[in-house]
């Protein structure tokens, strides 16, 4: 599937604003953030590498356009959600000790954990500073949405860590965790532009519902890529989630079924999962049908997301673009 035009169009609008916002940071947090966004290499030399698909800012702008607002109204929200997203990626890589993201070394693996924590925190506070600096009539409602979403995302991360520590997991627990970890920020991304535009609450809530379901679908696809993704395309290590003994959706389904595969997974997860074991387990999980079931779950949540857009009479063009972006998210292989 080709890349939706909205990702390119919104990326061109948001990137200069993000650069300007991040240039307000100082010292290591600035250096590490500029590296993470793909604007510099680790020595601070300018480069321009593709870093991130820009799904969240595109949702924000399309959400605003769908309620008939001008793009400019949505831009502070678009910048803010992308700053929060990137804060969460930097911290997620520390928590998981991941060394590769977006085909590059992760921030913590270059500068160390302390500097990476601080860089992530700097991006989080910058997001709110940037959004609140606008002082428009919809700013406070938008900032409230962003604060709630950030809190939910952190709650989801805590649930994720707790699930990894437990010796079992159910699909329902996994979906709830992923709705918080990933869905909350996508829900906020889709609705914050309309909130900034002071759109009717039915419109803002329909966009929120769209983003929440899209988030579960998005994370389901991420879980598939985390086991079966091609590292040359995803920019992450092969079989990452199994080597990290993650209770992602396919694994939770297998554990909940309580068969021979569940026993094998529990035994493997009790020790170190090397690459060969990860490959073997990935094959068995696929053969048991859990790859296809998770893909089906992703499609079902995509359906719910698109249905949520029936909750308001959105402008036809942007609605079509939201539809296209949502389908892209579910069909992606990176
Ligand atoms: C520890 C206080 C504290 C906060 C951290 C780490 C964290 C909170 C939350 C984790 C949120 C997270 C990383 C969820 C995964 C979401 C996800 C699927 C990210 C990948 O998004 P893409 O594919 O990334 O849009 P790109 O690279 O395209 O930007």
């Amino acid at each position: 599937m080709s890349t939706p035009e909205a990702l390119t169009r919104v990326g061109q609008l948001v990137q200069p604003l993000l650069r300007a916002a991040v240039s307000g940071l100082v010292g290591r947090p600035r250096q590490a953030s500029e590296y993470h966004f793909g604007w510099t290499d680790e020595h601070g030399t300018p480069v321009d590498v593709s870093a991130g698909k820009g799904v969240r800012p595109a949702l924000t702008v399309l959400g605003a356009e769908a309620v008939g607002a001008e793009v400019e109204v949505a831009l502070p929200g678009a910048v803010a959600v992308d700053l929060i997203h990137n804060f969460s990626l930097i911290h997620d890589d520390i928590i998981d000790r991941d060394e590769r993201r977006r085909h590059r070394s992760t921030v913590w693996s270059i500068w160390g954990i302390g500097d990476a924590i601080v860089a992530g925190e700097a991006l989080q506070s910058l997001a709110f500073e940037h959004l609140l600096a606008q002082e428009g009539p919809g700013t406070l409602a938008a900032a409230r949405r962003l604060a709630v979403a950030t809190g939910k995302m952190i709650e989801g991360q805590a649930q994720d860590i707790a699930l990894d520590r437990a010796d079992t997991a159910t699909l329902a627990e996994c979906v709830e965790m992923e709705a918080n970890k990933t869905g909350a920020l996508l829900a906020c991304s889709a609705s914050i532009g309309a909130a900034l535009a002071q759109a009717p609450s039915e419109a803002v809530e329909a966009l929120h519902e769209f983003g929440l379901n899209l988030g579960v679908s998005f994370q389901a696809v991420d879980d598939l890529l985390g086991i079966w993704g091609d590292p040359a395309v995803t920019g992450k290590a092969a079989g990452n989630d199994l080597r990290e003994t993650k209770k992602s959706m396919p694994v939770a389904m297998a554990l909940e079924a309580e068969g021979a595969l569940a026993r094998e997974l529990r035994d493997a997860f009790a020790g170190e999962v090397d690459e060969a074991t990860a490959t073997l387990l990935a094959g068995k999980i696929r053969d048991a049908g859990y790859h296809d079931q998770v893909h089906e779950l992703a499609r079902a949540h995509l359906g719910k997301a698109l249905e949520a857009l029936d909750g308001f009479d959105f402008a036809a063009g942007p609605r079509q673009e939201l539809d296209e972006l949502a389908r892209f998210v579910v069909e992606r292989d990176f």
Side-chain angles (χ1 to χ4, degrees):
M1 184 178 182
S2 61
T3 305
E5 191 269 333
L7 290 178
T8 315
R9 173 171 66 94
V10 175
Q12 282 165 356
L13 291 169
V14 167
Q15 282 288 315
L17 300 173
L18 269 174
R19 279 182 186 245
V22 172
S23 74
L25 300 178
V26 293
R28 260 309 160 73
R30 175 177 175 178
Q31 195 189 354
S33 298
E34 289 182 336
Y35 164 84
H36 173 79
F37 276 104
W39 306 325
T40 57
D41 67 13
E42 61 197 89
H43 308 293
T45 308
V47 293
D48 193 3
V49 299
S50 158
K53 295 177 282 298
V55 168
R56 293 158 192 79
L59 287 172
T60 302
V61 167
L62 290 176
E65 289 178 326
V67 296
E70 296 295 329
V71 171
E72 287 66 32
V73 176
L75 290 177
V79 170
V81 294
D82 212 36
L83 289 169
I84 294 289
H85 168 56
N86 283 286
F87 139 63
S88 80
L89 296 183
I90 292 174
H91 279 207
D92 198 48
D93 290 336
I94 300 170
I95 293 165
D96 292 344
R97 298 294 191 270
D98 277 332
E99 293 183 358
R100 302 294 291 169
R101 158 130 0 234
R102 297 168 171 168
H103 304 275
R104 306 170 89 206
S105 298
T106 48
V107 168
W108 77 267
S109 72
I110 297 174
W111 283 281
I113 287 175
D115 279 330
I117 290 174
V118 176
E121 293 296 339
L123 293 182
Q124 176 174 209
S125 80
L126 188 60
F128 286 97
E129 189 184 330
H130 185 83
L131 183 58
L132 288 162
Q134 314 305 314
E135 292 184 26
T139 301
L140 201 58
R144 200 175 289 128
R145 297 190 87 81
L146 189 65
V148 170
T150 305
K152 286 251 168 226
M153 181 183 80
I154 292 170
E155 188 183 326
Q157 182 65 23
Q159 291 170 316
D160 194 1
I161 293 171
L163 273 186
D164 282 347
R165 208 177 285 133
D167 56 34
T168 197
T170 64
L171 178 64
E173 286 170 329
C174 192
V175 170
E176 187 196 324
M177 175 273 283
E178 296 189 350
N180 284 330
K181 190 177 79 163
T182 305
L185 189 59
L186 284 198
C188 176
S189 302
S191 60
I192 198 171
L196 282 166
Q198 293 190 291
S201 64
E202 309 93 89
V204 179
E205 292 316 318
L207 287 163
H208 177 97
E209 197 58 25
F210 163 77
L212 186 60
N213 280 289
L214 183 59
V216 175
S217 191
F218 188 95
Q219 185 61 55
V221 172
D222 213 65
D223 285 359
L224 294 176
L225 295 174
I227 297 179
W228 294 283
D230 176 356
V233 183
T234 62
K236 291 180 167 185
N240 225 16
D241 283 359
L242 289 175
R243 282 190 295 100
E244 290 174 3
T245 67
K246 281 225 156 291
K247 309 274 184 359
S248 63
M249 284 189 196
V251 169
M253 280 180 174
L255 289 174
E256 201 173 358
E258 290 294 355
L261 180 55
R263 284 192 292 281
E264 195 169 340
L265 277 165
R266 276 199 194 97
D267 286 348
F269 281 16
E272 285 277 303
V273 179
D274 59 19
E275 206 169 326
T277 310
T279 306
L280 189 79
L281 290 173
K284 291 189 177 186
I285 298 171
R286 187 192 278 274
D287 291 346
Y290 298 121
H291 175 284
D292 290 355
Q293 285 185 41
V294 171
H295 201 255
E296 195 38 56
L297 186 147
R299 298 201 67 78
H301 278 272
L302 170 67
K304 282 191 193 176
L306 298 177
E307 243 172 60
L309 293 179
D310 291 335
F312 188 76
D313 188 17
F314 292 111
R319 182 179 165 158
Q320 177 58 36
E321 287 192 88
L322 282 170
D323 189 301
E324 194 190 334
L325 184 55
R327 288 177 200 279
F328 166 77
V329 157
V330 180
E331 299 304 329
R332 76 200 155 97
D333 58 3
F334 64 104

